[in-house]
Amino acid sequence: MKLRKFLLPLAVAGTMYYIYKKSEEQELNNEHIDRCRNSLIAEGYTVLDSYTLNLIENEYLMFYFRDNGKDYEVRFDKHTDTIEYIKEV
């Protein structure tokens, strides 16, 4: 009984920490996407119908969007918050 009283709070704390870490990762990913989108808007693009390929282990974010009927591919460096390239696909 005493073991159960000890293990249950420990299990709950471990689960909550895991959820916290996952939410922090997701929030950081969303910040990278927002920075990339804001950089494109600052350069004069109208970002419509966008989607991303963002792996945590990569140092870059692949961002795809449509502007005035043209499709673009963007590679955005997560560490320096700069656009490496923009190309029409």
Side-chain angles (χ1 to χ4, degrees):
M1 186 70 170
K2 289 184 179 183
L3 185 61
R4 186 178 293 172
K5 286 183 178 180
F6 176 73
L7 289 179
L8 183 62
L10 188 61
V12 169
T15 302
M16 294 305 293
Y17 179 73
Y18 176 77
I19 292 170
Y20 168 77
K21 291 302 285 181
K22 285 296 182 182
S23 66
E24 285 290 313
E25 289 175 6
Q26 186 62 42
E27 187 175 317
L28 184 60
N29 288 337
N30 290 343
E31 288 177 9
H32 292 305
I33 293 168
D34 289 342
R35 288 184 198 131
C36 181
R37 183 179 290 115
N38 291 340
S39 297
L40 291 168
I41 292 170
E43 290 189 19
Y45 290 98
T46 304
V47 179
L48 302 172
D49 300 329
S50 64
Y51 65 95
T52 62
L53 297 176
N54 186 17
L55 298 175
I56 295 171
E57 59 269 9
N58 288 348
E59 296 180 2
Y60 59 88
L61 162 75
M62 295 304 294
F63 188 85
Y64 300 88
F65 71 99
R66 178 178 289 258
D67 178 37
N68 295 327
K70 297 178 184 175
D71 293 329
Y72 292 93
E73 174 185 274
V74 178
R75 182 172 168 152
F76 183 78
D77 188 330
K78 294 181 196 178
H79 295 292
T80 61
D81 289 339
T82 57
I83 295 174
E84 292 181 3
Y85 69 80
I86 301 173
K87 72 177 184 179
E88 189 176 333
V89 272

